[in-house]
Amino acid sequence: MNQRTSTPSASAGSALPRQRRTYTIGELARMFEVTPRTIRFYEQEGLLAPERRGQTRIYHEKDRVRLKLTLRGKRLGFSLAEIREVVEMYDAMPDGNARQLKRLLEILADKRANLERQLEDIRLMHRELDDVESRARDVLASLEPGSPNG
């Protein structure tokens, strides 16, 4: 069920103001292609704070934006603590401020440094695998019939 907050001035054919739009958990789940369980988890972690009407959760535009930021942060490899910090800064200053942006840049620099370390580890592991494979092929070739050592 699509839930919207009605206002006395809203006429039947007019669109409701964006900040008045509400969402069900199912709508948000479909919108972001996640499960309702994922949304409930982020709520439990304090990243979302829907209004409650009995057992029903009513999500507002602020919750939608916070979920979007949370999912983007997860894709970028942010921890929940880092996501919470960025989301709280966003809540305090939606258009950004110097402190918020500097902190975001610090987090991004840390992520980039970690990725560079991981890339170097992968390169090293790749070289080691190549070396082991080459030695195994050499030994196998020497064991096959018709080889000088076989």
Side-chain angles (χ1 to χ4, degrees):
M1 180 178 159
N2 191 5
Q3 297 183 11
R4 297 177 189 263
T5 305
S6 62
T7 58
S9 61
S11 65
S14 69
L16 293 171
R18 189 167 179 86
Q19 68 271 17
R20 303 296 285 170
R21 172 74 164 93
T22 61
Y23 305 88
T24 65
I25 194 168
E27 286 173 325
L28 285 180
R30 283 188 298 279
M31 186 180 296
F32 291 103
E33 298 178 346
V34 297
T35 64
R37 182 177 178 168
T38 297
I39 295 172
R40 286 190 297 271
F41 171 75
Y42 291 137
E43 180 185 344
Q44 178 185 337
E45 291 296 315
L47 293 166
L48 303 174
E51 176 186 341
R52 294 289 197 129
R53 291 187 191 148
Q55 294 287 59
T56 304
R57 292 170 168 86
I58 308 297
Y59 295 89
H60 295 278
E61 186 63 20
K62 179 178 178 179
D63 297 303
R64 189 194 66 78
V65 171
R66 289 176 71 120
L67 180 58
K68 181 178 180 179
L69 291 171
T70 298
L71 295 171
R72 182 176 295 157
K74 289 305 289 177
R75 278 194 310 277
L76 293 173
F78 285 33
S79 69
L80 285 179
E82 290 167 330
I83 291 169
R84 188 175 293 107
E85 182 179 0
V86 171
V87 166
E88 286 171 0
M89 284 189 291
Y90 176 83
D91 283 349
M93 190 69 68
D95 296 327
N97 64 18
R99 183 182 68 83
Q100 174 185 359
L101 295 172
K102 285 177 186 176
R103 179 60 186 135
L104 180 59
L105 289 172
E106 287 172 8
I107 293 170
L108 292 173
D110 286 345
K111 293 295 167 204
R112 187 177 305 277
N114 285 336
L115 283 173
E116 290 297 330
R117 281 191 294 275
Q118 289 174 337
L119 270 173
E120 188 52 39
D121 288 345
I122 289 169
R123 286 185 194 107
L124 177 62
M125 187 180 297
H126 198 267
R127 286 192 298 271
E128 289 174 1
L129 288 171
D130 287 346
D131 185 46
V132 170
E133 180 183 19
S134 177
R135 283 193 248 160
R137 289 185 186 283
D138 290 346
V139 170
L140 181 62
S142 71
L143 296 175
E144 290 180 342
S147 70
N149 297 331

